[in-house]
Amino acid sequence: MYSIITLLIISLLVLLPHHLEAISSCNESCRTLNDCEGQLICIKGKCDDDPDIGTKICDGGGGSGGGSCKSSGTLICKGKSFLKFKCSPPITSSTPAKLTNNDFSEGGDGGAPSQCDERFHSNTERVVALSTGWYNDGSRCGKIIKITAKNGRSTTAKVVDQCDSQNGCDAEHAGQPPCKNNIVDGSNAVWSALGLDTDLGVVDVTWSMASNDDVYALKHYT
């Protein structure tokens, strides 16, 4: 009888660490979605924020940086100094951003093809590039976001590229300096859907990950 109880205790002691390891916190190792606690998900073998719902449990920028987004250095471009960022501000249900305009077609402002799909895109497509922190190593590629302008109009757009906040001033970036860390770089079609004039250059907007209802409503009623 004593030997059976002893074996049971030993078995529990052996299994207990494995059970505890099944629930991992930020940046801890994981193999499946169930390995991560709360709303965290398993990305590239580590528990991280879920880019689809925009959680900011692990960091302040959707996948890179810390709770506060600080510059990672500077880049000298055309005699001027530009801040570099690996992170972006926290993502919420209404994230403040600067909307800029980009030509995603071949020979346009973007230089190289879009990072997500290695393709160029027509100016009639509602597509965007996100600053490096929000782009989050490509985890938002192909995702649909909702953008709202101060005039009250909203539209949806697909994420196809990174607005690089780390690099620039080369052929790959069409000679442009690094993006700021709060940029939604939209095609002409995005600006048009928002009722905005591209000559404005930069406007204040908010954005979030689009819900299924957002996608349906803006596809069928706008």
Side-chain angles (χ1 to χ4, degrees), residues 39-205:
Q39 292 182 305
L40 303 181
I41 62 171
C42 191
I43 301 176
K44 297 180 179 179
K46 289 188 177 181
C47 292
D48 204 347
D49 290 310
D50 187 344
D52 284 342
I53 61 176
T55 55
K56 49 183 186 295
I57 300 166
C58 295
D59 54 57
S64 57
S68 61
C69 184
K70 297 179 180 179
S71 170
S72 58
T74 58
L75 180 69
I76 304 300
C77 180
K78 300 176 183 177
K80 295 183 180 180
S81 179
F82 295 88
L83 293 176
K84 301 192 299 181
F85 290 91
K86 294 181 179 179
C87 55
S88 291
I91 294 173
T92 67
S93 59
S94 183
T95 310
K98 300 290 185 181
L99 178 68
T100 54
N101 181 234
N102 186 45
D103 182 353
F104 291 85
S105 64
E106 189 169 6
D109 301 332
S114 299
Q115 279 187 250
C116 290
D117 54 14
E118 294 298 321
R119 290 177 51 226
F120 293 104
H121 292 268
S122 166
N123 287 317
T124 60
E125 295 181 63
R126 293 199 310 252
V127 293
V128 297
L130 297 178
S131 292
T132 295
W134 289 338
Y135 181 74
N136 195 23
D137 292 326
S139 70
R140 292 190 173 90
C141 279
K143 303 295 185 183
I144 306 299
I145 67 170
K146 178 182 178 182
I147 307 166
T148 303
K150 287 196 170 183
N151 61 12
R153 295 187 64 169
S154 296
T155 190
T156 53
K158 180 188 290 188
V159 178
V160 299
D161 205 357
Q162 172 183 201
C163 195
D164 200 334
S165 307
Q166 279 282 98
N167 307 288
C169 305
D170 52 18
E172 181 181 350
H173 298 85
Q176 298 188 63
C179 283
K180 294 182 179 180
N181 68 339
N182 62 342
I183 298 296
V184 174
D185 202 20
S187 63
N188 285 356
V190 170
W191 282 70
S192 177
L194 292 171
L196 299 172
D197 186 347
T198 56
D199 288 340
L200 293 172
V202 182
V203 297
D204 291 324
V205 296

